[in-house]
Amino acid sequence: MKRTIAFMMALALCVGTTATAFAEDTATEFSFTLRNDPTFTVTIPAQVTIEEEGTEVEVVAEDVENLAENEKVSVTIAGTDYFRNQMVLEDPDTRAVMRYQIVTPDGRTLETTGTDTMTGQEIVSFTEDGTETYTVKPVVAPSTRPGNYKGTLTYGISVVEAE
């Protein structure tokens, strides 16, 4: 009886060791993609004289490289030199004001009308070298006084996720 128990224990010990010897190896596969940061040059005119019927403004992107498939270079309205970033031109002599609007290449009209703002609105975008043209128009109301109106638009340029 003692021999049977000893034999059974030895057999159990051998079976236990055999099971471990047949265990599968496990592994972790690692991957890493190193890519260069996107580079580009965007050229926007420093000065534009607006005509009453509207004036086209060309924005040029050159040397656009290393964008991911789902990225684009976005040119947006970052702000203006007028109160609350309103899209307004002002005559410095009379302090009279006149609104203006931007018509994007895809036909959207960007215009502020009082309390709203267009800050962050995209004007043009690029995924490769090229030229995009938008139109800027003064909004001449019947009560607008003659004068020399001026204003400044500041652009934001960044790489964003494409829709």
Side-chain angles (χ1 to χ4, degrees):
M1 175 86 167
K2 282 185 180 182
R3 280 188 178 182
T4 306
I5 292 174
F7 176 74
M8 294 297 274
M9 286 177 68
L11 184 61
L13 186 58
C14 288
V15 170
T17 348
T18 306
T20 346
F22 292 114
E24 287 187 35
D25 290 338
T26 57
T28 301
E29 182 178 313
F30 295 104
S31 65
F32 172 73
T33 302
L34 178 64
R35 71 179 188 111
N36 292 325
D37 289 333
T39 59
F40 53 88
T41 301
V42 174
T43 305
I44 301 169
Q47 186 173 355
V48 174
T49 301
I50 304 171
E51 300 295 327
E52 192 165 349
E53 64 280 354
T55 301
E56 291 186 343
V57 179
E58 284 189 349
V59 180
V60 179
E62 298 174 299
D63 305 319
V64 178
E65 296 179 4
N66 304 319
L67 288 178
E69 261 186 53
N70 63 336
E71 291 179 330
K72 66 181 177 177
V73 176
S74 177
V75 179
T76 62
I77 297 172
T80 71
D81 63 342
Y82 198 74
F83 180 67
R84 285 186 292 186
N85 289 315
Q86 295 291 296
M87 293 170 57
V88 171
L89 304 171
E90 183 176 23
D91 183 334
D93 296 329
T94 64
R95 300 199 36 102
V97 295
M98 173 191 322
R99 291 181 296 116
Y100 65 94
Q101 56 187 213
I102 291 175
V103 181
T104 64
D106 62 0
R108 293 178 299 120
T109 299
L110 308 177
E111 176 181 1
T112 55
T113 57
T115 59
D116 57 345
T117 180
M118 292 293 113
T119 304
Q121 290 291 315
E122 184 173 87
I123 301 172
V124 296
S125 66
F126 302 90
T127 56
E128 60 188 11
D129 291 4
T131 301
E132 290 285 342
T133 303
Y134 72 87
T135 302
V136 61
K137 293 181 178 182
V139 179
V140 183
S143 61
T144 304
R145 299 191 302 193
N148 295 310
Y149 292 85
K150 297 180 182 199
T152 302
L153 176 70
T154 304
Y155 299 89
I157 303 170
S158 59
V159 175
V160 299
E161 189 173 312
E163 291 86 44

